[in-house]
Amino acid sequence: MPTETVIAIQGLTNRFGKTIVHENLSLDVRRGEVLGVVGASGSGKSVLLRSIVGLMTPSAGQITLLGTDVLGASAADRAAAGARTGVMFQDGALFSALTVRENVEAPMRERLKVDPVTRRALADLRIAMVGLPATAGDLYPAALSGGMRKRAGLARALSLDPEILFLDEPTAGLDPISASAFDTLLISLRDALGLTVFLVTHDLDTLQATCDRIAVLADRRVLVTGTMAEMRDVADPWVHAYFHGPRAHAALAAAEG
Amino acid sequence: MAADTSREAPLALAGPVTLGTLDETGARLRRAKADVAVDLSAVTALDTAGAWLLASSGRAFGGGDAAQTLLLRTVQDALPAPAKAPRRKMRYRAGDGLASVGMAVGRLLAATGESLGFLGLVMARLSGLLLRPRRLRLTALVHHMQEVGLNAVPIVALMGFLIGVVLAFQGAAQLRQFGAEVFVVDLIAVSILRELGILLTAIIVAGRSASTFTAAIGSMKMREEIDAIRVLGLDPIALLVLPRFLALVIVLPILGFVASLSGLFGGGLMAWIELGITPSQFRTQMLADVSAAQALVGLVKAPVFAAIIALVGCHQGFQVKGDAESLGLRTSRAVVIAIFLVIVMDALFSVFFAVWGI
């Protein structure tokens, strides 16, 4: 199958005052892959994600999302491209005034013409697909645990059947069992829904378990991309330390064991 | 048609089976017999909504490609048991109205009790501070004095000036009918010094600062900062409430004074323009008729208003729960309660001073 590029970033530069976060950064994401983005704290992973989904305007560069030039397109075109993507924020970013079901229904309510009964059924289906119990639909976000909030956030991100899913630290703050359950969930959803996943994470286990390709952000650009195995052979000291540290070995051992 | 249903030709779907075609596909499925299988070999696109429709019809499938089959299976596995929509029966029974009145009264009493408890807590901490004045957070105090005091001077002065102008204008129109124009000075001086200067300042500060206090403390509560303060063995009252409380108690009389002065200035200016009362005439008339007690009666109320505004603002901040909506609710409630209590307190002061004969 020819691999189509769904996100193309060229020459991206992000500057906050005198601080340069990205300089001439380029990155391609191919359809159907799970791309893990790693980097030291402050290396601009979240800024990159926010630039792609249009939450902030970069200082320079070009971002093509599903064939739409995000920076040059009209607001309507950008919104149309946005409807084909889903974003899960770090803590779910659920609307606290709505129940979980209403949260999942919200994008459908705003974007699609679906009758309320079908909408409710589809929301319940998504809630079940992300592994939440049926009773969770009636709860408010304040009543959910951290792991449930993340799953609910994922259900909302999936509610428009996106082609690309952006995940910001999806397993941060989860216990190891929930985290690996999340990894499994991600893979099964990717296979079933044909998703492309842009995954910002620090979790080596998640990288090992889910990612087809890994992009390392350092020195204001994408230092290197490649599979987990290729990452171990990179000579750069930071990358070497990252993928050869004690935690990396533990993750590798767990994956091989 | 055919006698043997298992032999019956499967229902062949074609084209996209997605959210957009949900109605047509649903209609086709409904027309077919319940046990007819579905053939997916001509389906070009299948999304979650389409898969949901197929899976919830409970039929057998065949012919889909690998991805479609996987999606269908995932949806089938996740399909929640058809839940009956819970229908709550809302029946009105005799006594419901009475019960809700009772609950409202109960809540009001509980809220009053809580507020009194908070007042007591703050007073206790304040007296502790009097014993050990070095514990006062001086930096925070000065910061809040600048925020609620200095930064409010322009708006308060402008408000006072305009009130003075309006009073002079209206008073002149009425008093001219009796040829008693010169008494506009008494009207302006008494009403601004005694009542309006301080009351309107308190209302502006309530809108400005009570909401700020609630929002600041409330968002700290939402982000567990208050809990962090407690865990560190520090006292959130001493750290957050006392500087705000003291700052407001110190600056509100000053703000009231500023408002009164600019009110007199505005009134005097208008009296000069409108009635030809020169500034020196204004001064002589005011000093002859209006005693200093009038100004003191006004200023003495300011610290009490300040205490009300600060306590209500901070208390509402501590009542914020986890969600964003409660922050907004508490902020608006803080302003409403603070202004209401300020006006009630002003009325009580009036009664008190009237009985006293001041």
Side-chain angles (χ1 to χ4, degrees), chain B residues 111-347:
Chain B
T112 314
E114 265 177 39
S115 311
L116 283 177
F118 187 74
L119 172 67
L121 193 61
V122 173
M123 288 303 139
R125 295 288 189 274
L126 198 63
S127 49
L129 195 65
L130 289 180
L131 295 178
R132 292 192 201 80
R134 307 208 56 174
R135 288 211 178 164
L136 179 66
R137 310 273 161 168
L138 206 59
T139 317
L141 177 69
V142 174
H143 168 75
H144 289 300
M145 281 171 70
Q146 173 171 3
E147 283 289 308
V148 301
L150 198 58
N151 294 351
V153 164
I155 177 79
V156 162
L158 178 65
M159 183 268 315
F161 177 82
L162 291 177
I163 293 296
V165 167
V166 169
L167 274 180
F169 213 66
Q170 297 297 326
Q174 299 301 319
L175 291 173
R176 196 180 280 138
Q177 298 174 13
F178 312 105
E181 287 99 325
V182 77
F183 285 108
V184 83
V185 176
D186 300 52
L187 173 77
I188 293 167
V190 171
S191 52
I192 283 187
L193 290 177
R194 224 188 138 107
E195 284 292 337
L196 291 178
I198 217 71
L199 180 64
L200 292 173
T201 304
I203 288 175
I204 285 192
V205 170
R208 215 179 152 267
S209 300
S211 55
T212 313
F213 292 175
T214 306
I217 294 179
S219 60
M220 288 181 79
K221 176 127 195 250
M222 283 168 75
R223 286 185 294 164
E224 298 183 324
E225 289 177 46
I226 307 260
D227 296 338
I229 290 173
R230 284 215 176 89
V231 176
L232 286 173
L234 300 169
D235 178 24
I237 304 282
L239 219 58
L240 303 175
V241 179
L242 288 187
R244 291 180 165 86
F245 178 86
L246 288 175
L248 207 53
V249 168
I250 293 170
V251 300
L252 193 65
I254 303 175
L255 284 178
F257 185 66
V258 168
S260 299
L261 278 191
S262 62
L264 290 181
F265 176 72
L269 191 69
M270 210 57 209
W272 194 12
I273 295 170
E274 188 68 15
L275 300 170
I277 301 175
T278 62
S280 64
Q281 258 180 306
F282 190 94
R283 179 171 166 277
T284 320
Q285 175 77 12
M286 190 174 94
L287 291 181
D289 280 8
V290 184
S291 70
Q294 303 283 9
L296 290 179
V297 161
L299 285 179
V300 87
K301 294 189 280 192
V304 180
F305 292 169
I308 290 173
I309 295 168
L311 286 173
V312 169
C314 294
H315 186 221
Q316 292 296 325
F318 279 109
Q319 309 238 308
V320 168
K321 302 272 183 301
D323 54 331
E325 195 160 356
S326 97
L327 181 63
L329 181 78
R330 290 294 169 184
T331 308
S332 83
R333 194 173 284 180
V335 175
V336 172
I337 293 177
I339 290 179
F340 176 74
L341 287 183
V342 161
I343 292 174
V344 168
M345 194 47 85
D346 190 56

Side-chain angles (χ1 to χ4, degrees), chain A residues 96-97 112 114 118 120-122 124-126 128-129 161 191-193, chain B residues 19 22 47-49 52 67 70-71 74-75 78-80 323-325:
Chain A
S96 59
L112 308 171
V114 191
T118 311
R120 188 187 158 99
L122 287 173
D124 281 339
L125 174 67
R126 260 104 188 194
M129 279 171 78
D161 264 328
D191 292 341
L193 305 175
Chain B
L19 193 64
L22 210 56
D47 67 357
T48 319
W52 164 75
L70 185 62
L71 175 60
T74 310
V75 170
L79 206 61
D323 54 331
E325 195 160 356

Side-chain angles (χ1 to χ4, degrees), chain A residues 67-116:
Chain A
T68 310
D69 176 13
V70 179
L71 307 177
S74 67
D77 286 347
R78 205 190 308 184
R84 293 162 69 192
T85 63
V87 186
M88 183 192 130
F89 292 95
Q90 208 174 102
D91 197 33
L94 299 167
F95 305 128
S96 59
L98 305 178
T99 64
V100 170
R101 182 181 298 112
E102 287 164 345
N103 260 288
V104 180
E105 281 184 51
M108 292 190 266
R109 187 195 300 266
E110 300 303 324
R111 294 299 192 120
L112 308 171
K113 279 184 186 155
V114 191
D115 66 285

Side-chain angles (χ1 to χ4, degrees), chain A residues 168-191:
Chain A
D168 193 1
E169 306 252 3
T171 53
L174 293 188
D175 66 80
I177 302 172
S178 311
S180 63
F182 198 96
D183 296 344
T184 317
L185 171 70
L186 187 61
I187 290 297
S188 68
L189 287 176
R190 193 270 304 255
D191 292 341

